Amino acid sequence: QVLLMESGGGLVQPGGSLRLLCAASGRTFSSYPMGWFRQAPGKEREFVAAIIWTTGNTDYGDSVKGRFTISRNGARTPIYLQMNSLKPEDTAVYYCAARSVPLIAKNPHDYDYWGQGTQVTVSS
């Protein structure tokens, strides 16, 4: 059984920062990508960022490049999403995901495991 659990969401003013955390249990993801997606009401699920633990390779969605940073601290530990310079359009439910193929992908259908999501609201 694979379990992913997100935390760290909340309400923040425009220009502010938040850090999301995704804790994984049930298997080793050292060679496989883990990523973040987000979904706003009435919109499709959007790729935010992904990382491969062993190599540290990362990729980002165009709308968050330069503002968000995905990272990990060693194997078998949570991944983080540091979000800076937040904008109202960043408001969404943020989901952690993992896939069982060792390549980063941006299509949510390519990911096999999902967390329950954490709400991020950017508003003054």
Side-chain angles (χ1 to χ4, degrees), residues 55-76:
T55 63
N57 288 351
T58 60
D59 200 358
Y60 294 90
D62 290 340
S63 61
V64 306
K65 283 180 180 177
R67 300 188 297 123
F68 291 12
T69 303
I70 188 171
S71 63
R72 85 282 190 253
N73 184 20
R76 299 177 181 267

PDB file of all heavy atoms in Angstrom, residues 55-76:
ATOM      1  N   THR A  55      18.689  11.322  -8.321  1.00  0.00           N
ATOM      2  CA  THR A  55      19.487  12.206  -9.151  1.00  0.00           C
ATOM      3  C   THR A  55      19.323  13.677  -8.778  1.00  0.00           C
ATOM      4  O   THR A  55      20.180  14.499  -9.089  1.00  0.00           O
ATOM      5  CB  THR A  55      19.113  12.048 -10.622  1.00  0.00           C
ATOM      6  OG1 THR A  55      17.743  12.447 -10.791  1.00  0.00           O
ATOM      7  CG2 THR A  55      19.262  10.593 -11.072  1.00  0.00           C
ATOM      8  N   GLY A  56      18.184  13.980  -8.128  1.00  0.00           N
ATOM      9  CA  GLY A  56      17.886  15.377  -7.851  1.00  0.00           C
ATOM     10  C   GLY A  56      17.372  16.138  -9.052  1.00  0.00           C
ATOM     11  O   GLY A  56      17.146  17.348  -8.976  1.00  0.00           O
ATOM     12  N   ASN A  57      17.182  15.444 -10.163  1.00  0.00           N
ATOM     13  CA  ASN A  57      16.643  16.112 -11.356  1.00  0.00           C
ATOM     14  C   ASN A  57      15.255  16.658 -11.063  1.00  0.00           C
ATOM     15  O   ASN A  57      14.447  16.002 -10.404  1.00  0.00           O
ATOM     16  CB  ASN A  57      16.569  15.129 -12.520  1.00  0.00           C
ATOM     17  CG  ASN A  57      17.936  14.805 -13.071  1.00  0.00           C
ATOM     18  OD1 ASN A  57      18.925  15.429 -12.714  1.00  0.00           O
ATOM     19  ND2 ASN A  57      18.001  13.809 -13.934  1.00  0.00           N
ATOM     20  N   THR A  58      15.000  17.854 -11.557  1.00  0.00           N
ATOM     21  CA  THR A  58      13.718  18.509 -11.332  1.00  0.00           C
ATOM     22  C   THR A  58      13.151  19.060 -12.639  1.00  0.00           C
ATOM     23  O   THR A  58      13.873  19.236 -13.628  1.00  0.00           O
ATOM     24  CB  THR A  58      13.854  19.667 -10.340  1.00  0.00           C
ATOM     25  OG1 THR A  58      14.783  20.625 -10.860  1.00  0.00           O
ATOM     26  CG2 THR A  58      14.337  19.185  -8.981  1.00  0.00           C
ATOM     27  N   ASP A  59      11.863  19.325 -12.611  1.00  0.00           N
ATOM     28  CA  ASP A  59      11.200  19.997 -13.719  1.00  0.00           C
ATOM     29  C   ASP A  59      10.053  20.799 -13.139  1.00  0.00           C
ATOM     30  O   ASP A  59       9.514  20.440 -12.078  1.00  0.00           O
ATOM     31  CB  ASP A  59      10.698  18.998 -14.753  1.00  0.00           C
ATOM     32  CG  ASP A  59      10.464  19.646 -16.109  1.00  0.00           C
ATOM     33  OD1 ASP A  59      10.657  20.867 -16.246  1.00  0.00           O
ATOM     34  OD2 ASP A  59      10.069  18.920 -17.038  1.00  0.00           O
ATOM     35  N   TYR A  60       9.686  21.885 -13.826  1.00  0.00           N
ATOM     36  CA  TYR A  60       8.678  22.797 -13.319  1.00  0.00           C
ATOM     37  C   TYR A  60       7.691  23.183 -14.405  1.00  0.00           C
ATOM     38  O   TYR A  60       8.034  23.244 -15.597  1.00  0.00           O
ATOM     39  CB  TYR A  60       9.323  24.081 -12.788  1.00  0.00           C
ATOM     40  CG  TYR A  60      10.182  23.873 -11.572  1.00  0.00           C
ATOM     41  CD1 TYR A  60      11.536  23.592 -11.703  1.00  0.00           C
ATOM     42  CD2 TYR A  60       9.636  23.929 -10.289  1.00  0.00           C
ATOM     43  CE1 TYR A  60      12.334  23.385 -10.591  1.00  0.00           C
ATOM     44  CE2 TYR A  60      10.426  23.724  -9.170  1.00  0.00           C
ATOM     45  CZ  TYR A  60      11.771  23.450  -9.325  1.00  0.00           C
ATOM     46  OH  TYR A  60      12.554  23.243  -8.222  1.00  0.00           O
ATOM     47  N   GLY A  61       6.470  23.472 -13.979  1.00  0.00           N
ATOM     48  CA  GLY A  61       5.508  24.043 -14.883  1.00  0.00           C
ATOM     49  C   GLY A  61       5.883  25.489 -15.194  1.00  0.00           C
ATOM     50  O   GLY A  61       6.486  26.181 -14.363  1.00  0.00           O
ATOM     51  N   ASP A  62       5.517  25.941 -16.374  1.00  0.00           N
ATOM     52  CA  ASP A  62       5.919  27.284 -16.811  1.00  0.00           C
ATOM     53  C   ASP A  62       5.400  28.370 -15.884  1.00  0.00           C
ATOM     54  O   ASP A  62       6.073  29.388 -15.675  1.00  0.00           O
ATOM     55  CB  ASP A  62       5.422  27.537 -18.235  1.00  0.00           C
ATOM     56  CG  ASP A  62       6.158  26.709 -19.269  1.00  0.00           C
ATOM     57  OD1 ASP A  62       7.277  26.232 -18.976  1.00  0.00           O
ATOM     58  OD2 ASP A  62       5.606  26.527 -20.378  1.00  0.00           O
ATOM     59  N   SER A  63       4.236  28.181 -15.312  1.00  0.00           N
ATOM     60  CA  SER A  63       3.629  29.234 -14.504  1.00  0.00           C
ATOM     61  C   SER A  63       4.295  29.410 -13.143  1.00  0.00           C
ATOM     62  O   SER A  63       4.044  30.411 -12.470  1.00  0.00           O
ATOM     63  CB  SER A  63       2.140  28.946 -14.308  1.00  0.00           C
ATOM     64  OG  SER A  63       1.964  27.717 -13.639  1.00  0.00           O
ATOM     65  N   VAL A  64       5.140  28.473 -12.738  1.00  0.00           N
ATOM     66  CA  VAL A  64       5.759  28.566 -11.412  1.00  0.00           C
ATOM     67  C   VAL A  64       7.272  28.664 -11.466  1.00  0.00           C
ATOM     68  O   VAL A  64       7.920  28.837 -10.430  1.00  0.00           O
ATOM     69  CB  VAL A  64       5.358  27.374 -10.520  1.00  0.00           C
ATOM     70  CG1 VAL A  64       3.838  27.243 -10.452  1.00  0.00           C
ATOM     71  CG2 VAL A  64       5.994  26.075 -11.000  1.00  0.00           C
ATOM     72  N   LYS A  65       7.856  28.570 -12.648  1.00  0.00           N
ATOM     73  CA  LYS A  65       9.317  28.637 -12.762  1.00  0.00           C
ATOM     74  C   LYS A  65       9.851  29.941 -12.181  1.00  0.00           C
ATOM     75  O   LYS A  65       9.313  31.019 -12.445  1.00  0.00           O
ATOM     76  CB  LYS A  65       9.734  28.512 -14.229  1.00  0.00           C
ATOM     77  CG  LYS A  65       9.673  27.100 -14.767  1.00  0.00           C
ATOM     78  CD  LYS A  65      10.105  27.039 -16.228  1.00  0.00           C
ATOM     79  CE  LYS A  65      10.038  25.611 -16.759  1.00  0.00           C
ATOM     80  NZ  LYS A  65      10.380  25.533 -18.204  1.00  0.00           N
ATOM     81  N   GLY A  66      10.900  29.810 -11.383  1.00  0.00           N
ATOM     82  CA  GLY A  66      11.503  30.982 -10.761  1.00  0.00           C
ATOM     83  C   GLY A  66      10.862  31.387  -9.456  1.00  0.00           C
ATOM     84  O   GLY A  66      11.410  32.215  -8.718  1.00  0.00           O
ATOM     85  N   ARG A  67       9.699  30.825  -9.136  1.00  0.00           N
ATOM     86  CA  ARG A  67       9.003  31.155  -7.883  1.00  0.00           C
ATOM     87  C   ARG A  67       8.910  29.965  -6.944  1.00  0.00           C
ATOM     88  O   ARG A  67       8.951  30.134  -5.727  1.00  0.00           O
ATOM     89  CB  ARG A  67       7.606  31.677  -8.187  1.00  0.00           C
ATOM     90  CG  ARG A  67       7.566  32.921  -9.044  1.00  0.00           C
ATOM     91  CD  ARG A  67       6.151  33.489  -9.128  1.00  0.00           C
ATOM     92  NE  ARG A  67       5.218  32.574  -9.759  1.00  0.00           N
ATOM     93  CZ  ARG A  67       4.091  32.142  -9.181  1.00  0.00           C
ATOM     94  NH1 ARG A  67       3.767  32.547  -7.965  1.00  0.00           N
ATOM     95  NH2 ARG A  67       3.294  31.307  -9.829  1.00  0.00           N
ATOM     96  N   PHE A  68       8.748  28.787  -7.493  1.00  0.00           N
ATOM     97  CA  PHE A  68       8.589  27.571  -6.694  1.00  0.00           C
ATOM     98  C   PHE A  68       9.854  26.723  -6.800  1.00  0.00           C
ATOM     99  O   PHE A  68      10.507  26.689  -7.840  1.00  0.00           O
ATOM    100  CB  PHE A  68       7.414  26.746  -7.181  1.00  0.00           C
ATOM    101  CG  PHE A  68       6.055  27.357  -6.939  1.00  0.00           C
ATOM    102  CD1 PHE A  68       5.882  28.664  -6.549  1.00  0.00           C
ATOM    103  CD2 PHE A  68       4.909  26.573  -7.126  1.00  0.00           C
ATOM    104  CE1 PHE A  68       4.639  29.209  -6.327  1.00  0.00           C
ATOM    105  CE2 PHE A  68       3.646  27.094  -6.914  1.00  0.00           C
ATOM    106  CZ  PHE A  68       3.512  28.422  -6.525  1.00  0.00           C
ATOM    107  N   THR A  69      10.162  26.021  -5.716  1.00  0.00           N
ATOM    108  CA  THR A  69      11.304  25.114  -5.697  1.00  0.00           C
ATOM    109  C   THR A  69      10.899  23.797  -5.056  1.00  0.00           C
ATOM    110  O   THR A  69      10.391  23.790  -3.929  1.00  0.00           O
ATOM    111  CB  THR A  69      12.474  25.710  -4.909  1.00  0.00           C
ATOM    112  OG1 THR A  69      12.846  26.972  -5.473  1.00  0.00           O
ATOM    113  CG2 THR A  69      13.684  24.776  -4.966  1.00  0.00           C
ATOM    114  N   ILE A  70      11.139  22.703  -5.775  1.00  0.00           N
ATOM    115  CA  ILE A  70      10.887  21.373  -5.223  1.00  0.00           C
ATOM    116  C   ILE A  70      12.211  20.808  -4.734  1.00  0.00           C
ATOM    117  O   ILE A  70      13.259  21.005  -5.375  1.00  0.00           O
ATOM    118  CB  ILE A  70      10.219  20.451  -6.264  1.00  0.00           C
ATOM    119  CG1 ILE A  70       9.772  19.134  -5.612  1.00  0.00           C
ATOM    120  CG2 ILE A  70      11.133  20.195  -7.449  1.00  0.00           C
ATOM    121  CD1 ILE A  70       8.903  18.271  -6.529  1.00  0.00           C
ATOM    122  N   SER A  71      12.183  20.128  -3.603  1.00  0.00           N
ATOM    123  CA  SER A  71      13.432  19.614  -3.056  1.00  0.00           C
ATOM    124  C   SER A  71      13.164  18.390  -2.200  1.00  0.00           C
ATOM    125  O   SER A  71      12.025  18.100  -1.834  1.00  0.00           O
ATOM    126  CB  SER A  71      14.144  20.689  -2.226  1.00  0.00           C
ATOM    127  OG  SER A  71      13.370  21.054  -1.108  1.00  0.00           O
ATOM    128  N   ARG A  72      14.224  17.663  -1.884  1.00  0.00           N
ATOM    129  CA  ARG A  72      14.169  16.571  -0.942  1.00  0.00           C
ATOM    130  C   ARG A  72      15.445  16.614  -0.117  1.00  0.00           C
ATOM    131  O   ARG A  72      16.448  17.185  -0.532  1.00  0.00           O
ATOM    132  CB  ARG A  72      13.994  15.212  -1.642  1.00  0.00           C
ATOM    133  CG  ARG A  72      15.276  14.537  -2.135  1.00  0.00           C
ATOM    134  CD  ARG A  72      15.791  15.120  -3.416  1.00  0.00           C
ATOM    135  NE  ARG A  72      16.860  14.329  -3.981  1.00  0.00           N
ATOM    136  CZ  ARG A  72      18.133  14.698  -3.984  1.00  0.00           C
ATOM    137  NH1 ARG A  72      18.505  15.818  -3.397  1.00  0.00           N
ATOM    138  NH2 ARG A  72      19.041  13.932  -4.569  1.00  0.00           N
ATOM    139  N   ASN A  73      15.397  15.979   1.041  1.00  0.00           N
ATOM    140  CA  ASN A  73      16.548  15.994   1.924  1.00  0.00           C
ATOM    141  C   ASN A  73      16.905  14.555   2.242  1.00  0.00           C
ATOM    142  O   ASN A  73      16.507  14.018   3.272  1.00  0.00           O
ATOM    143  CB  ASN A  73      16.220  16.776   3.183  1.00  0.00           C
ATOM    144  CG  ASN A  73      17.435  16.911   4.089  1.00  0.00           C
ATOM    145  OD1 ASN A  73      18.571  16.755   3.643  1.00  0.00           O
ATOM    146  ND2 ASN A  73      17.198  17.199   5.344  1.00  0.00           N
ATOM    147  N   GLY A  74      17.636  13.896   1.350  1.00  0.00           N
ATOM    148  CA  GLY A  74      17.988  12.511   1.546  1.00  0.00           C
ATOM    149  C   GLY A  74      16.893  11.576   1.085  1.00  0.00           C
ATOM    150  O   GLY A  74      15.829  12.006   0.663  1.00  0.00           O
ATOM    151  N   ALA A  75      17.151  10.305   1.160  1.00  0.00           N
ATOM    152  CA  ALA A  75      16.176   9.304   0.732  1.00  0.00           C
ATOM    153  C   ALA A  75      15.166   9.046   1.843  1.00  0.00           C
ATOM    154  O   ALA A  75      15.422   9.255   3.015  1.00  0.00           O
ATOM    155  CB  ALA A  75      16.885   8.002   0.371  1.00  0.00           C
ATOM    156  N   ARG A  76      14.017   8.576   1.435  1.00  0.00           N
ATOM    157  CA  ARG A  76      12.967   8.173   2.372  1.00  0.00           C
ATOM    158  C   ARG A  76      12.520   9.298   3.297  1.00  0.00           C
ATOM    159  O   ARG A  76      12.174   9.084   4.444  1.00  0.00           O
ATOM    160  CB  ARG A  76      13.409   6.981   3.225  1.00  0.00           C
ATOM    161  CG  ARG A  76      13.729   5.742   2.401  1.00  0.00           C
ATOM    162  CD  ARG A  76      14.235   4.633   3.292  1.00  0.00           C
ATOM    163  NE  ARG A  76      14.565   3.439   2.535  1.00  0.00           N
ATOM    164  CZ  ARG A  76      13.733   2.448   2.334  1.00  0.00           C
ATOM    165  NH1 ARG A  76      12.517   2.500   2.827  1.00  0.00           N
ATOM    166  NH2 ARG A  76      14.109   1.398   1.630  1.00  0.00           N
TER     167      ARG A  76
END
